[in-house]
Amino acid sequence: MTLGERIKKVRKALDLTQQKFADRIGTTQNVIANYESGRREPSAAAFNNICKTFNISEEWLRMGEGEMFLPTAEESIDELIRQHGLGDLERQIMIEFVQLDPRDRQGVLEYAKRLAANVRLCKQEANKTLEEEADEFAAKAREQFLAEKKQALQASSANESAEA
């Protein structure tokens, strides 16, 4: 399949006329007709514009290899969801995140880092408290054990004295 035939295949897959295809990439219907017939090859800028505008794999458009369409952000996220066993809430958070502009994404990332640091600190404090509780429990258990053993020894000594 030629480059022109692949461009036509993209247009047909999207159910667009040459005019509507041309409008979307900022050119004329005549230019698209020339691409499709092979009379003209798209410039690098036009080629990139076709790929970006219609989410087309550059490798497929240039060489005819691989899939025509690139996976959408949602398809990529769905694959991650499947791979990691995540749920609907995680999916929605990921979709919302990728739709943010880069500056807002950076703000969310900074907030998430601070939040994670606070969670780690709380866990460390909780573990410290648990360690302190365990030490206190062990000390009380030791005192009780020693008291019971002393009492048993005293009772045993008293019984031996009474028998003698």
Side-chain angles (χ1 to χ4, degrees), residues 65-163:
E65 297 173 1
E67 297 294 321
M68 179 189 309
F69 291 101
L70 293 171
T72 64
E74 286 194 27
E75 290 169 336
S76 297
I77 288 169
D78 287 343
E79 181 59 27
L80 284 171
I81 296 296
R82 279 190 295 280
Q83 287 176 359
H84 298 283
L86 303 175
D88 290 339
L89 179 59
E90 290 96 344
R91 181 182 186 280
Q92 190 59 40
I93 289 169
M94 292 168 87
I95 289 169
E96 294 293 334
F97 181 77
V98 299
Q99 291 174 349
L100 292 173
D101 68 60
R103 191 176 47 200
D104 289 340
R105 271 192 227 147
Q106 191 59 39
V108 169
L109 291 172
E110 292 300 322
Y111 175 76
K113 282 193 253 181
R114 288 193 310 271
L115 183 61
N118 286 336
V119 168
R120 277 193 302 276
L121 182 61
C122 288
K123 282 184 177 181
Q124 288 170 352
E125 289 177 10
N127 286 339
K128 183 178 176 184
T129 302
L130 288 175
E131 290 291 328
E132 291 169 354
E133 284 183 44
D135 289 345
E136 190 177 303
F137 178 79
K140 286 180 182 177
R142 183 177 188 278
E143 287 175 22
Q144 183 179 351
F145 174 80
L146 290 174
E148 288 173 1
K149 286 296 182 180
K150 285 179 185 176
Q151 189 177 20
L153 283 173
Q154 288 173 350
S156 176
S157 293
N159 285 342
E160 287 177 6
S161 295
E163 289 178 6

Side-chain angles (χ1 to χ4, degrees), residues 25-71:
I25 63 168
T27 192
T28 65
Q29 179 272 327
N30 192 41
V31 168
I32 299 303
N34 284 330
Y35 291 166
E36 290 182 2
S37 68
R39 287 188 297 270
R40 183 172 173 195
E41 290 217 358
S43 66
F47 190 89
N48 288 333
N49 198 9
I50 291 169
C51 290
K52 287 185 181 184
T53 301
F54 301 112
N55 201 36
I56 302 300
S57 162
E58 184 176 334
E59 182 179 357
W60 181 84
L61 193 55
R62 284 193 192 280
M63 316 284 259
E65 297 173 1
E67 297 294 321
M68 179 189 309
F69 291 101
L70 293 171

